[in-house]
Amino acid sequence: MKRDAYEVLGVPRDADERQIKKAFRTKARELHPDVNRHDADAEEKFKELAEAHEILSDPERRQVYDRYGHEGLSSRGFESPFQGFGSFSDIFDAFFGGGDVFGGGGGGGAVQGGDVAVAVEITLEDAARDSQVDVEYDAVGLCEHCNGNAAEPGTPIRTCERCGGAGQLRAVTRTAFGQLVRTQACDVCGGDGKIPETPCSVCRGRGRQATRRKLTIDIPAGIADEQRIRLAGRGHAGERGGPSGDLYVLVRVAEDERFVRDGNDLVHVLNLPAPSAALGTTVTVPTLEGEESLDIPPGTQPGTVLNLRGKGMPSLRRGRRGDQRVLVNVVIPRNLSAEQRDMLDRFADTLGPHNLDDEGERESLFSRVRRAFG
Ligand SMILES: [Zn+2]
Ligand SMILES: [Zn+2]
C-alpha cells in the first residue's frame, strides 16, 4: 500500500507549489545519503518522498492523483521516477544536482555543507522555563587524519584525467519523464579535480567523514510546539572550502493532560460536583508551579471561567506572562443510592424560580466555553 502523497510530504491538500517544494527540500535534507548510508530505510523513505514530490509538483499528475489516487496514476502510465538510476546517492544527486540541496553548485567550486535536522521532545514544564536538552546526531565533517585532502598524509596528489581538473562533467540521464541534462560532479574525482595516489586510510579518500556529534541545546522559555531552533554552522561540513550547513532542532512540546495551551495562556478544566458548585467551596488546581488553591463562589455555573493571572506560559518575546484560565465543568452525580435519590427528591421539591433564574447572566454556556479558549 502506497502512502498518501500529501501525508508523505506533510502538506495540506490545498498546498501551493511553494509549500510542496519547501516540504520536499526540508524532508530530503534529513535523509541525506552521507548520513543515512547505513540506513536501508532512508533510501526507501527518500524514494517515497521523491515520488510524492513528483506527483504533487506536476499540475497534471496532481489532478489525476487527487481524483483517482496512486492507482489512477499507474493506470494512466505515470511511472515512479526511479527508472534508470543506480545507488541512493545517484538518486539523491539526480534531484539536487549533486549539491543544490546543500546550497552550492554541481561540483568544482566551494559547496556549502548540508543542513541537519533533529527533533527533541520536552515537557510543558520545560517549555515554561529556560531549559537545556542534549541532542545526538550524525554530521559529515572534515577527516581529521588527512585534514580533508583525501590523501594519506605525505603522499602525492595528481590532477584528475577524466575532467582535466575541472571537477565537473555534463551528463544526460534518461528518466521516465524524458531526458535530464545536468552538470554533474566528476565521477572519478568526485568534484575535487584531484586524485590522491594513496587514498587516506581513515576516510578512504573521501576527505570527509560522518561522525556522531553531541550538543547541549538551550531552549528558551515560552517555546511553542513545533518551533525550530537554528544553530548556524553545526550541520554538515562544506566541500572545497565551503561553509558548514546549519543544525535545525525541531522542538516538540509533549501534551500535558492537565492543560490545553492557548498561545501563552493555559486552560485547565476543573471537574466540580454539582453540590460544591451550588454551595461554593475552595479547591486546589494544578499550575505549572504546583498546586494552587482557588475559591469557587456559591452558585457557580457550568462553563464559568476563573482566571489565575500570570500563571500561564512565559512569553518568548519577554513580554507579560500568560494567564491560567480554569474552566468549570459541573459534574452531575450518577449512580445514586436510594437514600441519595430520596434526599435529592425532597431537595428538588424545595426549588423555586429564584433558585434557577440566571440573575441577568446573559452569557450562554457556549460563549463562556469559547471565552476559555481566548
Ligand atoms: Zn575528475
Ligand atoms: Zn581522510
Side-chain angles (χ1 to χ4, degrees), residues 8 30 37 47 50 67 70 95 107 123 127 165 168 201 216 306:
V8 171
E30 296 169 19
R37 76 196 122 105
K47 284 182 178 175
R67 296 187 61 179
H70 285 297
F95 279 89
T123 63
Q168 43 179 272
S201 58
T216 300
L306 301 162

Side-chain angles (χ1 to χ4, degrees), residues 143 145-146 200 202-203 207:
C143 170
H145 185 61
C146 63
C200 166
V202 173
C203 64

Side-chain angles (χ1 to χ4, degrees), residues 22 45 49-50 60 95 100 117 135-137 144 160-161 183 204 214 273 276 313 315 322 347 358:
K22 195 173 161 217
K45 278 188 215 152
L49 184 68
E60 191 196 344
F95 279 89
D100 181 47
V135 295
E136 272 190 54
Y137 63 103
E144 286 175 7
C160 174
E161 283 165 17
T183 307
R204 293 194 196 88
K214 291 182 188 184
S276 306
M313 298 294 286
S315 161
F347 170 69
D358 62 4

